[in-house]
Amino acid sequence: MAHQMARRTKELKRSVEAALLSNQAKATGNSTTARTSAMIGAWLDTNTSFDVTTGSGLTPGADPATVGSTARTDSSTQRALTATLINTVMQSCYTEGGEPDRLMVGPYNKTVVSTLTGRSIAREMIDSNTAGSNVTVFATDFGDLQVMPNRFQRERDAFLISPDFAKVSYLRNFQVSTLGKTSDAETKYLVVEMGLEMTQEAAHGGIFDLETS
Amino acid sequence: MLTKQILDHTGHVMSEFYVDEVDSRNLQIHHKVTQDIEPTLQLTKSLRDNQHLDPFANKQSGWKRVAEIPRVLYDQLAQQGITRDKKKFRAWLNDYANRPFRVWEGHL
């Protein structure tokens, strides 16, 4: 049982991380629908970069219509992650008073970032396994940046995070309860209720609609 | 009885789960994450040694690659609060003992 509980706790922690980095809007919930908390995709509005390609059958990206209450709109067109995109959003954060020092990207875009400095030699030497297993530190015009891969976020998003201005808040922390016994079988359930407490969304940045492969 | 299960093995990082059943009422559970850092060390050495081959490195985008830190080591630094403290993190990067993880060797 302890083994199973430990495994399920890890599973739940992964779900929590995936939820925190998702594009989920808040919902108050009702008797048939569970309440939800706004997650990072639905929070970011001030320092964002997204694809705005328009045309027949194309949907341009858009920030949330109401921050937190609606999810952001994904563009139907994706673009490559570039140093220029990151610099632009970092500059925007800096102007707003934020100092993001982490860039969180999906595994594919971590390999893209690893070759950003324009070195042909780097492209040859970096394999995806090594890039995905490391945190790369860059010195940029706007301070040091720790670039880390995260496979629980959407590959099409990249987040510039100021850790001091976001945290996880628990309504109900991880807890275990025992369910009624059936014959000899013991059953327990594990529950957590949490949300992303965004103390200042303008301290962070988001680059959206990125290529995923 | 000790049982082991691999939870995850991605890239060079392996996450394992150990359950040691000391007796019927006493279980010891360990979660162990290991990483083969040899590819990282080879990568950083190659990048250090070949900087002269790229005269435009670090000039065009205003970016300078400073270091490649293995995930397991980064997690340890995070637990010690070093990664959240810009001064401490720079001091760690500037420490000569951590040179194997540096790509650009200048002082930060």
Side-chain angles (χ1 to χ4, degrees):
Chain A
M1 178 60 84
H3 185 184
Q4 283 301 321
M5 287 307 296
R7 283 176 60 82
R8 298 300 169 220
T9 306
K10 187 165 174 65
E11 190 178 322
L12 193 55
K13 282 184 172 178
R14 287 172 170 226
S15 299
V16 166
E17 188 165 353
L20 289 168
L21 296 167
S22 70
N23 183 23
Q24 176 180 286
K26 75 173 181 186
T28 46
N30 53 38
S31 57
T32 55
T33 312
R35 58 191 172 194
T36 56
S37 175
M39 298 305 177
I40 193 163
W43 269 116
L44 298 184
D45 176 61
T46 307
N47 311 307
T48 56
S49 168
F50 48 87
D51 184 84
V52 290
T53 307
T54 53
S56 175
L58 298 177
T59 308
D63 283 328
T66 310
V67 177
S69 299
T70 50
R72 59 179 314 103
T73 308
D74 291 330
S75 170
S76 53
T77 311
Q78 294 179 326
R79 67 246 171 98
L81 179 62
T82 62
T84 308
L85 280 177
I86 301 170
N87 277 339
T88 305
V89 177
M90 277 189 86
Q91 184 179 353
S92 175
C93 294
Y94 191 78
T95 307
E96 292 291 333
E99 289 182 35
D101 62 3
R102 279 140 219 238
L103 174 66
M104 216 177 268
V105 291
Y108 167 73
N109 280 307
K110 175 63 170 60
T111 64
V112 173
V113 172
S114 293
T115 57
L116 274 184
T117 47
R119 296 177 179 177
S120 55
I121 50 167
R123 288 194 189 93
E124 287 159 20
M125 284 185 274
I126 298 175
D127 71 83
S128 59
N129 277 343
T130 306
S133 307
N134 292 341
V135 172
T136 307
V137 183
F138 287 97
T140 76
D141 292 341
F142 301 100
D144 297 345
L145 189 63
Q146 302 163 24
V147 184
M148 52 195 72
N150 191 321
R151 64 188 144 154
F152 300 114
Q153 71 179 74
R154 301 192 309 166
E155 183 71 72
R156 61 182 297 137
D157 302 336
F159 300 111
L160 281 157
I161 311 276
S162 301
D164 292 340
F165 294 98
K167 65 179 180 182
V168 182
S169 289
Y170 291 95
L171 193 60
R172 286 188 291 167
N173 209 336
F174 285 85
Q175 54 190 270
V176 179
S177 296
T178 306
L179 296 174
K181 199 162 180 173
T182 306
S183 185
D184 225 13
E186 265 184 42
T187 312
K188 292 179 186 258
Y189 82 95
L190 184 62
V191 66
V192 62
E193 194 168 7
M194 41 58 71
L196 175 64
E197 185 180 337
M198 185 66 83
T199 48
Q200 179 52 272
E201 69 84 19
H204 312 280
I207 305 162
F208 302 98
D209 308 321
L210 301 173
E211 288 176 352
T212 58
S213 62
Chain B
M1 188 184 73
L2 184 69
T3 55
K4 181 180 106 170
Q5 191 162 18
I6 295 174
L7 281 181
D8 196 16
H9 190 183
T10 310
H12 304 294
V13 182
M14 187 186 286
S15 173
E16 295 163 289
F17 195 79
Y18 291 86
V19 179
D20 190 3
E21 199 169 340
V22 181
D23 57 51
S24 61
R25 300 182 67 181
N26 188 1
L27 283 176
Q28 289 184 352
I29 297 169
H30 308 277
H31 181 216
K32 182 176 162 191
V33 182
T34 50
Q35 178 171 357
D36 176 9
I37 65 165
E38 192 55 39
T40 304
L41 297 178
Q42 284 175 4
L43 170 69
T44 51
K45 185 175 186 312
S46 303
L47 290 170
R48 270 198 309 271
D49 293 348
N50 291 296
Q51 288 202 25
H52 64 284
L53 294 178
D54 185 0
F56 300 107
N58 313 322
K59 298 271 172 64
Q60 291 163 324
S61 63
W63 284 48
K64 193 180 290 181
R65 186 205 304 269
V66 173
E68 289 279 341
I69 305 175
R71 202 186 93 190
V72 285
L73 178 57
Y74 183 87
D75 289 346
Q76 201 175 24
L77 295 174
Q79 281 176 4
Q80 293 166 4
I82 292 174
T83 56
R84 289 190 72 139
D85 185 322
K86 288 176 184 174
K87 280 187 181 171
K88 282 185 183 171
F89 191 52
R90 280 202 160 188
W92 187 89
L93 288 167
N94 284 326
D95 188 339
Y96 189 78
N98 301 318
R99 181 180 176 272
F101 304 110
R102 290 290 300 267
V103 174
W104 173 73
E105 294 180 281
H107 189 80
L108 282 167

